[in-house]
Amino acid sequence: EADIYQTPRYLVIGTGKKITLECSQTMGHDKMYWYQQDPGMELHLIHYSYGVNSTEKGDLSSESTVSRIRTEHFPLTLESARPSHTSQYLCASSETGNRAYEQYFGPGTRLTVT
Amino acid sequence: GENVEQHPSTLSVQEGDSAVIKCTYSDSASNYFPWYKQELGKGPQLIIDIRSNVGEKKDQRIAVTLNKTAKHFSLHITETQPEDSAVYFCAASVHDYKLSFGAGTTVTVRA
C-alpha cells in the first residue's frame, strides 16, 4: 500500500492569491495524478504524470498547473485563485508493472476561495 | 473517452443485508475495473478490482462481477456492517492507466 501525503488538508484563501497544493509519495511510484472532486462527489482527472519531467492535462480542463521535478513530489499550483476553484483536490499514485492500474489516493486538500 | 454510469446514487440497507451497486461503461476496450470506498474526510481507498479476462472476483464479504458483453460490472457486499457505510465509486480504465469514475453511491447501513 502506498503512503501518499497531501498538505495542507484544508485551505481558505482570498481571491487572487497564488497557492500550491503539495503531494508527496514515499513508494517510488512513477505515475501520479491529480483529481478534482466537487460536492457532487464525482472525481475528475485534471493532471497526470508518468515520470519525472512528464506532465499531461487530464479530461477536465483546469486553470491549475503541475510540475514533476522529483519522482516523489507532484505539486499543483493555482496562479490566481478564484471562487470557482473551490473544491476538494485529491492526489494519487501508482507503480509500474502489473499493478500500474492500481491508484492509491492521498487524504485530499479541501480548498475554499473566498 | 470512457463514460461510466453508476446506480443507485444512494442505497440504504439494514445491517446484515446485502448491498449491490451497478456500473456500466461505454468503451469496449476498457480492461480494468476497480472499486473504491471513500469515508468522510478521507481519500478513496481501493477495495477490490477486476480485469477484463475475469468474470468474478471475491474478497471476504465483497465481490465484483463483470459482464463484458453487456459492458457492466457490479459490486456486491454481503452481511453489511455499520463500517460499510461510505461512498463507493466504480471506475474503468483502458490501456493508458487513466481511470474514469462513476458518480458514486452513498451507502448507509442501518443498525
Side-chain angles (χ1 to χ4, degrees):
Chain A
E1 185 174 328
D3 290 324
I4 183 163
Y5 309 95
Q6 291 186 244
T7 57
R9 291 295 313 280
Y10 303 92
L11 179 61
V12 180
I13 201 163
T15 297
K17 299 292 185 182
K18 178 181 178 179
I19 59 171
T20 297
L21 307 184
E22 301 289 347
C23 176
S24 295
Q25 49 92 8
T26 60
M27 300 303 290
H29 287 177
D30 286 343
K31 300 175 182 57
M32 297 189 75
Y33 313 82
W34 275 104
Y35 292 86
Q36 186 172 333
Q37 185 175 35
D38 290 329
M41 300 300 288
E42 189 167 353
L43 287 87
H44 298 283
L45 181 68
I46 52 175
H47 298 284
Y48 62 100
S49 167
Y50 287 168
V52 171
N53 295 324
S54 163
T55 62
E56 301 286 345
K57 289 188 177 296
D59 301 324
L60 179 69
S61 176
S62 174
E63 295 169 344
S64 59
T65 59
V66 292
S67 63
R68 190 87 184 277
I69 299 174
R70 304 198 315 266
T71 298
E72 63 272 19
H73 195 214
F74 191 39
L76 181 146
T77 298
L78 278 166
E79 290 292 334
S80 180
R82 296 207 301 266
S84 61
H85 297 139
T86 295
S87 190
Q88 163 119 304
Y89 293 84
L90 289 161
C91 182
S93 70
S94 64
E95 58 181 89
T96 55
N98 292 334
R99 301 183 66 178
Y101 286 98
E102 300 175 14
Q103 294 186 19
Y104 296 91
F105 284 81
T109 293
R110 183 163 295 281
L111 172 66
T112 302
V113 183
T114 61
Chain B
E2 175 66 276
N3 182 45
V4 178
E5 294 190 358
Q6 183 172 345
H7 300 279
S9 57
T10 60
L11 181 59
S12 179
V13 296
Q14 188 69 37
E15 183 177 358
D17 287 350
S18 295
V20 180
I21 304 170
K22 299 181 179 181
C23 289
T24 61
Y25 60 98
S26 61
D27 191 339
S28 57
S30 290
N31 57 5
Y32 175 69
F33 307 91
W35 285 89
Y36 284 84
K37 176 183 180 182
Q38 186 174 23
E39 298 176 321
L40 198 62
K42 297 182 179 180
Q45 179 186 7
L46 179 66
I47 56 172
I48 195 168
D49 56 14
I50 192 168
R51 296 182 187 272
S52 57
N53 59 348
V54 176
E56 184 174 357
K57 184 177 179 181
K58 189 175 182 180
D59 182 5
Q60 298 183 358
R61 295 187 297 108
I62 59 174
V64 57
T65 59
L66 171 65
N67 184 325
K68 286 182 61 179
T69 303
K71 290 190 286 187
H72 68 69
F73 56 112
S74 300
L75 177 72
H76 304 252
I77 307 173
T78 58
E79 301 173 16
T80 53
Q81 301 170 5
E83 54 264 37
D84 295 329
S85 295
V87 181
Y88 292 81
F89 293 94
C90 64
S93 179
V94 194
H95 57 82
D96 59 356
Y97 311 115
K98 293 188 293 183
L99 294 176
S100 294
F101 283 85
T105 298
T106 301
V107 174
T108 303
V109 179
R110 307 186 307 271

